[in-house]
Amino acid sequence: MKQSRRVGIAVLGIMTGVLSSDVPAMAIDLNADQKGAISTNCDTIKQTIQQLTRADSKTRVYLGSAYENALTNFIVPLNLRLTKNNKPNATLTSVQSKFADKRQAFNATYTNYMKQVEDLLAINCKTSPEDFYEKLQAARASRATLQQTTLELNSLLHDHIEGVKKLRSEL
């Protein structure tokens, strides 16, 4: 159980730092100075996005395996054991179902986010700063959705831990 708690805390810490977006996703018109800044700094912007993408990829691998580990080594075996002993717990079963669904949503959301980033990097920001910025906003929105999904998964892990504590006190 302590390992499950550590996984949840580590996941929350990583996601807060890596997937937070300082700029909210909203459509705005770019003025000439902003367009010029994007065009002038295009190479640097793209390099930074590529570095972020590499970090996000590593985080995705870590989180994907942490979520899979929590589900297959903690959540599911406990529910199976409780069912086998004729003591199913509705709360833990509900958390398992929600967690499995959110984990699939996490995978799909990450795939969508990476597609958004690929589309963004395919645009020549020197010649099309407006298109680039529009795609940047879409990538930011996808990243924010990914962060929300991660926070929901962390909350479900916390709910599982609390459900196990309650179950232990009842036994």
Side-chain angles (χ1 to χ4, degrees):
M1 186 49 46
K2 289 180 182 177
Q3 185 174 2
S4 177
R5 179 179 291 170
R6 278 186 255 141
V7 168
I9 292 169
V11 166
L12 180 60
I14 287 173
M15 292 315 294
T16 301
V18 175
L19 288 179
S20 63
S21 177
D22 294 336
V23 181
M26 57 193 327
I28 63 170
D29 291 328
L30 297 176
N31 62 36
D33 290 339
Q34 292 169 322
K35 290 176 190 176
I38 291 173
S39 294
T40 303
N41 298 307
C42 181
D43 294 333
T44 304
I45 293 169
K46 283 192 171 190
Q47 184 179 16
T48 302
I49 292 170
Q50 288 170 341
Q51 289 171 346
L52 179 65
T53 301
R54 284 191 292 275
D56 284 350
S57 180
K58 289 177 184 176
T59 301
R60 161 61 180 92
V61 168
Y62 173 76
L63 290 176
S65 63
Y67 293 148
E68 181 66 25
N69 184 38
L71 188 62
T72 60
N73 294 329
F74 298 107
I75 298 172
V76 171
L78 177 61
N79 285 336
L80 288 174
R81 183 68 176 212
L82 289 170
T83 301
K84 181 179 177 185
N85 291 332
N86 245 357
K87 296 184 183 207
N89 184 293
T91 301
L92 296 178
T93 302
S94 174
V95 168
Q96 176 183 336
S97 176
K98 290 176 186 176
F99 191 85
D101 291 344
K102 278 293 171 191
R103 191 177 60 80
Q104 287 178 341
F106 172 79
N107 291 340
T109 303
Y110 182 81
T111 301
N112 182 52
Y113 165 64
M114 288 309 293
K115 183 178 179 336
Q116 297 275 341
V117 171
E118 288 173 13
D119 291 347
L120 173 66
L121 292 173
I123 295 174
N124 184 345
C125 49
K126 290 181 181 181
T127 60
S128 301
E130 299 93 351
D131 293 340
F132 183 82
Y133 190 73
E134 182 180 324
K135 293 290 184 182
L136 177 64
Q137 292 296 82
R140 284 178 175 160
S142 292
R143 199 165 198 260
T145 302
L146 183 58
Q147 180 182 16
Q148 183 60 39
T149 303
T150 302
L151 293 174
E152 291 169 4
L153 280 163
N154 291 338
S155 176
L156 288 169
L157 283 173
H158 178 72
D159 292 348
H160 179 74
I161 291 168
E162 293 304 313
V164 170
K165 285 180 183 177
K166 184 178 178 189
L167 178 67
R168 286 178 77 186
S169 70
E170 293 171 357
L171 294 177

